[in-house]
Amino acid sequence: MSDTNAADVHVVFCTCPDPAVAESLAGALVQAGLAACATMLPGAVSIYSWQGRIERDSEALLMIKTTAARLPALTERIRQLHPYDVPEVIAHPITAGHDSYLDWVRQCTTTTT
């Protein structure tokens, strides 16, 4: 476990209205090389304020693993594909992790452009 250069790897949280949308979005992000992995956690319940009302919805949560360099393109792709007007895209840098895993995330999200 190392914290050397771990901060260039991020975990991104994105809620989706249901598992089907989450799975479709996850597949598109991984296939495009914007994410190394997206883990879907169905059964989330969100309570939130929207347009002056308190809402409660069942959702699926995606935990998306990517790099800082890919965050802008990943965010834009989520915005394009997501059915919500304002999709949740919250990125947290990794402060430490298994070096081989972090290297794998970097390798999967490296672009030649």
Side-chain angles (χ1 to χ4, degrees), residues 46-84:
S46 293
I47 299 169
Y48 57 96
S49 177
W50 181 249
Q51 298 180 341
R53 295 188 342 226
I54 303 300
E55 302 285 345
R56 182 187 187 281
D57 286 308
S58 296
E59 296 183 300
L61 175 65
L62 286 177
M63 295 186 329
I64 305 160
K65 281 65 94 179
T66 191
T67 59
R70 297 302 273 160
L71 277 173
L74 180 134
T75 300
E76 178 59 22
R77 191 70 177 138
I78 290 172
R79 193 193 62 72
Q80 292 170 350
L81 297 175
H82 206 288
Y84 290 167

